[in-house]
Amino acid sequence: MIFPALANANKHIEYVIGVEDVNYFPLFNFNSKHPNQPSFAFDLLTAFFEYKQYKYRFVPLPIKRFDKWFIDHNIDFKFPDNMRWRADGGKSLDLTFSEPVLRLLAGTYVHKSKKDLTRLEVKTLMTIRDFYPTLWLDLIAEKKVELHEEPTPVSIVRHLLVKNVQATNIDENVIRYQLKKLNKSGEIVLAKNIFHEQYTYHLSTNTYPEIIREFNEFVKQEKQLIQMLKQKYEIKEPWEQ
């Protein structure tokens, strides 16, 4: 249960939270016309900022130039963020990252009939437009893997189902949600022969490190809330698969 908020000297500031303008449900689902749609990210961040009695608003931004949001759009916070998505680890902007909010799996997902594919056998990869395909950057640069982009997860899932492309790197929770909607649960699986690793979602800022410290304390104290949100949105972390 969320404990009563304390008075805070920053309550008159309106904090701007930069979020990705894309439907990546259940993890997040923001767009410029409807920035306040329910999702794991929306519910968690709303709970924190309202608990602290801070004024805030979500600003959905294009994924392109993701690493320039703080400069281009004058935002106060970004979610999700991760040092792995930045060549300099966020050092050039002196970013402060929160403790992990979610642990996810960076992997390669394929049609179940291709579950034994190896990395060198993959020739086509599809991802969300302007997403950062971290584990494939080398082969894409060497033109050994052809990168295709789509604006929505559902279109990517449909392409994989009919085998127009071999693989995708979008999140397994997003894939599972789309497959369930299409009555195709279990048709797309993790390619276990291809390297995969855990990564994490963080809240970041280049202006308010003290708010990040407060957010860390909130996440630490509200483990029950986070578990409830994971259950609500059917989100599984790697060790729960």
Side-chain angles (χ1 to χ4, degrees):
M1 181 178 296
I2 299 175
F3 35 90
L6 302 176
N8 195 289
N10 296 329
K11 65 181 180 179
H12 297 300
I13 299 173
E14 183 180 58
Y15 296 109
V16 178
I17 309 166
V19 290
E20 297 178 16
D21 189 352
V22 64
N23 181 349
Y24 207 54
F25 192 87
L27 300 179
F28 52 87
N29 182 15
F30 298 100
N31 67 71
S32 55
K33 292 184 178 179
H34 304 287
N36 297 320
Q37 297 183 103
S39 67
F40 175 89
F42 174 82
D43 288 9
L44 178 63
L45 293 173
T46 295
F48 167 69
F49 281 93
E50 292 191 355
Y51 151 69
K52 296 298 296 184
Q53 296 183 353
Y54 291 148
K55 295 180 180 179
Y56 66 97
R57 61 187 171 97
F58 294 99
V59 177
L61 297 169
I63 303 169
K64 194 174 182 66
R65 291 178 62 80
F66 176 88
D67 61 339
K68 305 295 184 185
W69 281 6
F70 283 109
I71 298 170
D72 293 351
H73 299 281
N74 198 32
I75 61 173
D76 299 311
F77 300 94
K78 179 190 290 188
F79 189 89
D81 205 355
N82 188 298
M83 286 184 285
R84 67 186 274 135
W85 301 331
R86 301 169 178 278
D88 68 347
K91 294 178 182 177
S92 64
L93 287 175
D94 193 24
L95 295 182
T96 300
F97 293 85
S98 74
E99 293 297 316
V101 173
L102 272 181
R103 289 173 173 81
L104 301 170
L105 190 69
T108 302
Y109 297 88
V110 298
H111 189 276
K112 66 180 182 180
S113 65
K114 304 293 184 181
K115 64 182 178 63
D116 295 323
L117 273 180
T118 65
R119 190 169 190 259
L120 293 180
E121 289 174 327
V122 173
K123 303 302 179 185
T124 54
L125 177 77
M126 183 171 282
T127 193
I128 297 291
R129 186 171 298 146
D130 296 320
F131 264 31
Y132 197 67
T134 308
L135 299 181
W136 292 93
L137 293 175
D138 57 339
L139 294 184
I140 293 169
E142 295 168 10
K143 300 189 183 306
K144 293 179 179 178
V145 170
E146 186 176 305
L147 180 66
H148 299 266
E149 297 179 311
E150 287 287 332
T152 63
V154 65
S155 58
I156 293 173
V157 167
R158 289 182 184 276
H159 278 294
L160 257 70
L161 288 173
V162 297
K163 303 178 185 178
N164 286 339
V165 292
Q166 291 174 288
T168 185
N169 68 331
I170 64 173
D171 183 75
E172 185 170 8
N173 293 288
V174 178
I175 293 172
R176 187 187 309 112
Y177 171 75
Q178 296 296 340
L179 288 175
K180 184 176 180 180
K181 286 179 63 178
L182 296 169
N183 294 315
K184 295 288 185 178
S185 295
E187 292 293 303
I188 295 173
V189 299
L190 176 68
K192 294 184 178 179
N193 290 335
I194 300 175
F195 176 75
H196 47 281
E197 63 182 2
Q198 291 188 31
Y199 72 104
T200 45
Y201 272 7
H202 304 258
L203 180 67
S204 68
T205 186
N206 70 336
T207 312
Y208 297 107
E210 71 278 7
I211 304 295
I212 296 296
R213 290 192 289 272
E214 293 175 349
F215 181 71
N216 287 340
E217 184 64 22
F218 177 83
V219 170
K220 180 180 178 181
Q221 295 292 332
E222 293 299 324
K223 292 180 179 178
Q224 184 176 352
L225 169 65
I226 293 174
Q227 188 59 35
M228 181 189 73
L229 292 178
K230 286 170 55 183
Q231 292 174 355
K232 175 182 177 180
Y233 291 108
E234 299 183 13
I235 293 172
K236 295 181 179 179
E237 295 184 289
W239 60 83
E240 301 171 326
Q241 304 293 341

